[in-house]
Amino acid sequence: MKKILIACFFAITFTTFAMPQETQKPTILTDNLCDLLCKEAQKKSEQMGLDISFAISDANGLPRLYRRFGEALVLSITLVPNKAYTSAITQLTTEDLADLVVEDAALQGINTADPRITVVTGGFPLFYKGKIIGAIGIGGGTEAQDREIGEYVLRACLNFI
């Protein structure tokens, strides 16, 4: 059953990439919106006294923005963009995904199939009108701090779109 679920996940993923893209589809995750979300993450992290890294990916998990503030951990250079990537392609928070990859769970082992998939708290999908438009990744604090900043940025996003 697990192998079937993983096979279905990859079949859907690869089929999506192979499908022709609509040429007149409006871009929701604009450069301006990415900049606004980054500023909100910076503002919240400064209020909390944290140096963080922040990343945004598009709906396909491709990078749109990355920023390392102050002396954020060097590890965040790779981890934070992977949090955004993971949330975009799974349409889940990385924290929620963590519950699905444990032994005997629906997606057990999926995080070993793609080295960019991470289950570290701090990845949040972005939705607009029920459709995935991208994802954000935050790192530099505790799980609770990364979650707080992520939820703050998600609320701000709703005000911008």
Side-chain angles (χ1 to χ4, degrees):
M1 182 61 156
K2 293 173 200 164
K3 290 180 181 178
I4 293 172
L5 285 172
I6 292 172
C8 288
F9 172 81
F10 284 111
I12 290 168
T13 301
F14 292 123
T15 302
T16 302
F17 286 121
M19 294 174 67
Q21 301 295 313
E22 295 177 11
T23 57
Q24 307 228 335
K25 189 175 186 179
T27 301
I28 305 297
L29 194 58
T30 62
D31 290 344
N32 186 52
L33 179 57
C34 289
D35 290 340
L36 289 170
L37 297 178
C38 186
K39 286 176 184 169
E40 290 298 310
Q42 180 181 22
K43 180 172 80 175
K44 184 64 176 174
S45 67
E46 286 175 351
Q47 289 172 357
M48 297 171 69
L50 295 173
D51 288 334
I52 65 161
S53 287
F54 181 76
I56 301 176
S57 67
D58 67 15
N60 296 311
L62 299 174
R64 293 281 292 139
L65 178 142
Y66 173 78
R67 181 74 191 267
R68 181 175 174 236
F69 296 106
E71 297 298 318
L73 296 172
V74 174
L75 172 64
S76 67
I77 292 170
T78 54
L79 185 58
V80 169
N82 287 350
K83 290 178 181 185
Y85 168 82
T86 300
S87 287
I89 66 165
T90 63
Q91 300 184 22
L92 297 167
T93 67
T94 51
E95 190 170 21
D96 288 342
L97 181 62
D99 295 334
L100 299 173
V101 300
V102 296
E103 188 173 342
D104 296 325
L107 297 176
Q108 177 186 342
I110 193 172
N111 54 318
T112 63
D114 181 342
R116 293 186 59 200
I117 293 177
T118 182
V119 294
V120 178
T121 298
F124 302 85
L126 299 171
F127 293 98
Y128 179 70
K129 295 185 178 180
K131 296 193 187 257
I132 187 82
I133 60 166
I136 59 172
I138 296 103
T142 64
E143 287 183 352
Q145 291 168 325
D146 290 352
R147 186 183 315 106
E148 182 177 345
I149 295 167
E151 290 170 351
Y152 178 87
V153 173
L154 291 177
R155 286 190 301 276
C157 184
L158 294 175
N159 293 327
F160 294 138
I161 55 176

